[in-house]
Amino acid sequence: MSIYKQLANQFVEEIESGLRQEGGRMPSLRQLAKQQSVSMSTVVSCYQELESQGWILSRPQAGYFVAPRKPRHSTPEWAQFVSKVSNVTQSYPSHPSVQGPLGVSTTINDQQSVTELERSFRRSLKRLGDRLNHYPDTQGEPLLRQALATHFAKINLHFPAEQVVITAGCMSAIKAALESCSNEGDTIAISSPCFNGILELLGQMKRQIVEIPSLDDGIDLEQLETHLKHKRVDAAIFCTSHMNPQGINMSASQKQALANLANKYRVPIIEDDVYLELSYSDHTPLPAKYYDKGGYVLWCGSVSKSLSPSYRLGWCLPGRYLDVYKEKFTAASYGVALPTQLAVADFIDSGQYAKHVRHRRAKLLDLRRQYLDYLAEHLPAGVNISNPQGGMVLWLQAPGLDCEAFAIAVDQHKLDIRLGKLFSTLDLYRDCLRINIGYPLEGEAKRQLDILLTLINKHKS
């Protein structure tokens, strides 16, 4: 066997064993030639072989990277339909009474991160001084706003700290955004399927909706533009990075087109970007807000998924709606707990947050591999599974599933999963479900997953 093929096989083994992870940078051509004491033509042939087989990919001006893993299963087929205005007429709770590891989208912190967080809290309490007796700034602690601005500038998303509003989590940010740019009775465009918490919020706020079909690279922008052109939509909410529940990452061209539509038709688009930093690769995708020239995108984020949901700490970059946003948010809130803001600002400024996010990405990538391999081995033929490139949820589609009997069995077993009907007002996803993959595949998580697999096998024709 030629030297370049031996070298290529060695890389394949490292990728398959997890030593080299998706999105990880490969050695440069010169580095590899020096490391292996081989000629430049040998390493070029090696990389050409790996690239032709789909193991690596090249990025202009950046180098070579490990390509996304090829799925062992079919991915879901997205329902295509003509979208129409409808009402949210039932409840879509995001936190049912029964809770388990497969339900809420969350994961656990490693001990090193917990230790560093404790240090940040201790330092922040010392920094508080007399401010312990004061209410927090209703727009948010300036130190945290600056820490966020500096942090996101590293991915080329630049904004002044003065334009950020700190909120009590991402849903709080989205609610204030809706209050800032829409009124009761207005029509809001959303993706289909859509995070059930958004549906629940829209119902409570008495907004009408238009569900826009999903595509492999995002949403049906042609249908969205049709509604915008005919002034049927007053605002929109879209999760753009590692979409919940689909697991889709909206492509860069889609995000740019989405921002362009917002500016062209002067319609506000609320961007739910709570999963932005949980890409499985070293590359953090840019949000649609990056392409927003006129300030019509209200960018909402949080540390709920990247750090901890218990802090209830998020933010919004409201663009041209900043003044009215601050007014609406202040009317409903007296600000976010100052010690938490200072601790998170310290955690970011110390560099520990970036380190923590890198570790979380690697852990979630490994968990995705474990869950996908286990599901592919134990699910019946014909069940489709999403192949996300970030986040912590999987979307399963089981054609032929006896949906009513399955739902009853899930309830009887007190199994915490999210049935597809929770993610739409349309009768399109009854044979679908969403599971969280943020917990190690052991203990209670594995026990509940085994029950789920048994029920799917039992009720799928």
Side-chain angles (χ1 to χ4, degrees), residues 115 158 186 296 335 348 427:
T115 300
H158 299 276
D186 281 355
Y296 286 95
I348 294 171
D427 192 23

Side-chain angles (χ1 to χ4, degrees), residues 271-291:
E271 184 174 18
D272 173 6
D273 223 4
V274 71
Y275 293 98
L276 174 72
E277 297 193 86
L278 296 186
S279 172
Y280 296 149
S281 72
D282 294 332
H283 173 68
T284 300
L286 284 164
K289 182 64 180 176
Y290 172 79
Y291 305 100

Side-chain angles (χ1 to χ4, degrees), residues 133 148 164-165 186 206 215 287 293 330 355 372 378 413 430 450 459:
N133 303 313
L148 290 170
V164 183
V165 179
D186 281 355
K206 295 181 171 55
L215 302 172
K293 305 302 181 185
T330 302
K355 182 179 178 181
L372 286 180
H378 294 92
H413 284 82
R430 291 190 175 274
D450 286 337
H459 295 289

Side-chain angles (χ1 to χ4, degrees), residues 167-175 271-274 300-302 304 312-315:
T167 65
C170 194
M171 289 302 292
S172 171
I174 291 171
K175 184 175 185 295
E271 184 174 18
D272 173 6
D273 223 4
V274 71
C300 301
S302 169
S304 295
R312 304 305 301 155
L313 192 150
W315 57 82

Side-chain angles (χ1 to χ4, degrees), residues 107-123 307-308 310-311 343 347 352-353 356 359-360 363:
T107 186
I108 53 179
N109 284 320
D110 59 78
Q111 188 55 50
Q112 180 62 34
S113 292
V114 172
T115 300
E116 293 298 336
L117 278 166
E118 290 173 350
R119 289 173 179 162
S120 287
F121 268 95
R122 286 196 294 270
R123 287 193 292 264
L307 185 58
S308 171
S310 66
Y311 295 159
F347 196 61
Q352 291 301 321
Y353 178 70
H356 161 82
H359 289 167
R360 176 157 289 192
K363 184 179 82 171

